[in-house]
DNA sequence: ATGCGGACCTGTTAGC
DNA sequence: TGCTAACAGGTCCGCA
């Protein structure tokens, strides 16, 4: 689920329902997520108003009056706003219950996600402190990529997936952006030309932007009690297409592993 | 500093 | 059909 576009779509989906609302309580059914959910989350949050809902990389931040709830969806997490408290299913680990009865419910089968309470400036928290720029912001550009990558021997795919370089580029969109930029994923980051960095930065922005648009149309129903998934099948050029013909030249797409992650590229278009 | 591999978990699918 | 192994959208951490 959670590449940056889905996290952003989630943010936009929940924001209108919880901004300005006062939290009544929290219900924690499973504390063992990536890090333990605070034992007394409910008393930490109760009575506080939600000021705003912010995204930083793939982290969602619920800014409250006296601190911040940090949420990460991990590999399999999602958030829904329910009109009323419904019977919890197996993987419904945390509820944030608002006055008037709406419930923000965190569900995560694999439990790689997180729900934490941060006091003070959340951007000083170790998890957020060393994050790179937002891929859709102006700071992230070809020049930045070029300068950051000098002397780096890691594969360019690993490089753009490194949150200290740029946040929010997950496995799917790393594959897609490298295809669109015509760059082989295993290529050493430090060996890219400045033109290639320029192209790559543009494609990352483009592909994420498109996906946010698509996510907006596919995951619209955040209030649905059934939580209909209506899964989001984007038009992916290469991801999941290993062995099939390249959409540009027809050459058989190669599928390999890089950092234990599935990696697909066209041997001809990505020299 | 950089680079690598392991770790955390469950559910689904591919293969025998 | 049933069992097992591999794999899945993330990323932190410890070690060389």
């Amino acid at each position: 689920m959670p590449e940056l576009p889905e996290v952003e779509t989630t943010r936009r989906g929940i924001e209108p329902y919880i901004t300005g609302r006062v939290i009544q309580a929290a219900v924690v059914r499973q504390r063992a997520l990536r890090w333990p959910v605070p034992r007394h989350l409910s008393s930490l949050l109760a009575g506080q108003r939600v000021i705003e809902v912010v995204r930083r990389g793939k982290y969602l931040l619920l800014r409250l009056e006296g601190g911040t709830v940090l949420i990460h969806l991990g590999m399999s997490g999602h958030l829904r706003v329910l009109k009323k408290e419904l019977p919890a299913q197996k993987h419904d680990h945390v509820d944030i219950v608002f006055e008037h009865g709406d419930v923000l419910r965190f569900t995560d089968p694999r439990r790689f996600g997180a729900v934490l309470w941060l006091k003070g400036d959340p951007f000083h928290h170790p998890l957020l402190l060393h994050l790179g720029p937002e891929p859709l912001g102006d700071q992230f550009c070809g020049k930045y990529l070029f300068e950051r990558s000098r002397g780096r021997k890691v594969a360019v795919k690993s490089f753009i997936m490194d949150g200290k370089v740029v946040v929010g580029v997950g496995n799917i969109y790393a594959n897609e952006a490298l295809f669109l930029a015509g760059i082989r994923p295993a290529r050493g980051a430090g060996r890219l030309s400045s033109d290639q960095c320029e192209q790559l930065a543009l494609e990352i922005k483009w592909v994420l932007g498109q996906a946010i648009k698509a996510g907006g149309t596919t995951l619209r129903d955040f209030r649905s009690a059934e939580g209909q998934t209506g899964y989001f099948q984007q038009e992916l050029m290469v991801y999941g297409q290993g062995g099939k013909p390249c959409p540009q030249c027809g050459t058989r797409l190669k599928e390999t592993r890089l950092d234990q992650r599935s990696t697909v590229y066209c041997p001809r278009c990505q020299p």
Side-chain angles (χ1 to χ4, degrees):
Chain A
M1 253 154 273
E3 289 255 3
L4 180 144
E6 291 228 12
V7 178
E8 176 60 20
T9 302
T10 297
R11 190 194 69 75
R12 294 178 187 181
I14 66 174
E15 176 179 50
Y17 300 112
I18 68 173
T19 303
R21 306 288 300 282
V22 175
I23 295 171
Q24 188 178 74
V27 179
V28 180
R29 301 182 194 82
Q30 170 63 273
R31 293 189 59 222
L33 303 184
R34 194 175 203 302
W35 298 282
V37 178
R39 200 176 283 283
H40 303 297
L41 187 67
S42 191
S43 51
L44 289 168
L45 307 190
Q48 295 200 65
R49 191 178 301 276
V50 177
I51 311 291
E52 58 176 349
V53 183
V54 177
R55 179 186 60 72
R56 177 74 175 99
K58 292 174 191 164
Y59 293 96
L60 283 171
L61 307 174
L62 315 188
R63 311 285 312 266
L64 308 187
E65 291 157 316
T68 303
V69 181
L70 174 147
I71 299 174
H72 197 290
L73 302 176
M75 292 272 254
S76 58
H78 66 97
L79 286 170
R80 282 183 295 155
V81 177
L82 309 172
K83 291 284 283 176
K84 285 208 159 84
E85 184 96 53
L86 290 170
Q89 308 295 303
K90 189 173 177 189
H91 301 297
D92 296 340
H93 305 315
V94 179
D95 285 352
I96 295 177
V97 184
F98 291 87
E99 290 180 356
H100 313 302
D102 281 8
V103 175
L104 180 67
R105 175 164 284 178
F106 175 82
T107 307
D108 183 12
R110 283 179 80 179
R111 290 196 269 129
F112 284 179
V115 178
L116 295 176
W117 170 246
L118 314 186
K119 279 218 99 123
D121 183 350
F123 299 106
H124 287 159
H125 189 275
L127 286 172
L128 304 181
L129 189 59
H130 301 291
L131 292 180
E134 289 290 326
L136 297 173
D138 292 340
Q139 212 194 320
F140 178 71
C141 61
K143 184 164 177 275
Y144 168 83
L145 257 191
F146 184 72
E147 287 169 2
R148 277 300 299 260
S149 60
R150 294 311 86 188
R152 294 294 303 271
K153 298 194 168 177
V154 282
V156 57
K157 177 165 179 260
S158 316
F159 184 71
I160 59 174
M161 289 178 69
D162 179 351
K164 292 191 287 301
V165 173
V166 56
V167 294
V169 181
N171 195 40
I172 291 178
Y173 297 110
N175 279 296
E176 294 297 310
L178 286 164
F179 173 76
L180 294 170
I183 300 167
R184 196 166 294 218
R187 174 106 194 206
R191 303 185 51 231
L192 296 183
S193 70
S194 64
D195 281 356
Q196 285 178 311
C197 288
E198 201 64 50
Q199 190 68 26
L200 183 54
L202 288 176
E203 299 299 358
I204 288 171
K205 287 172 189 285
W206 185 83
V207 82
L208 292 176
Q210 290 297 303
I212 288 172
K213 278 193 201 168
T217 63
T218 49
L219 289 181
R220 63 185 92 93
D221 205 348
F222 279 91
R223 303 200 68 165
S224 139
E226 304 81 55
Q228 274 311 321
T229 49
Y231 227 59
F232 146 68
Q233 218 37 0
Q234 237 225 273
E235 284 182 27
L236 300 173
M237 305 289 277
V238 291
Y239 185 80
Q241 308 295 312
K244 293 186 185 159
C246 167
Q248 273 171 22
C249 78
T251 302
R252 209 181 139 81
L253 293 174
K254 268 205 163 190
E255 179 146 13
T256 61
R257 307 223 110 221
L258 204 152
D259 296 338
Q260 350 247 47
R261 311 298 296 278
S262 155
T263 303
V264 189
Y265 65 94
C266 172
R268 179 145 166 223
C269 299
Q270 296 168 265

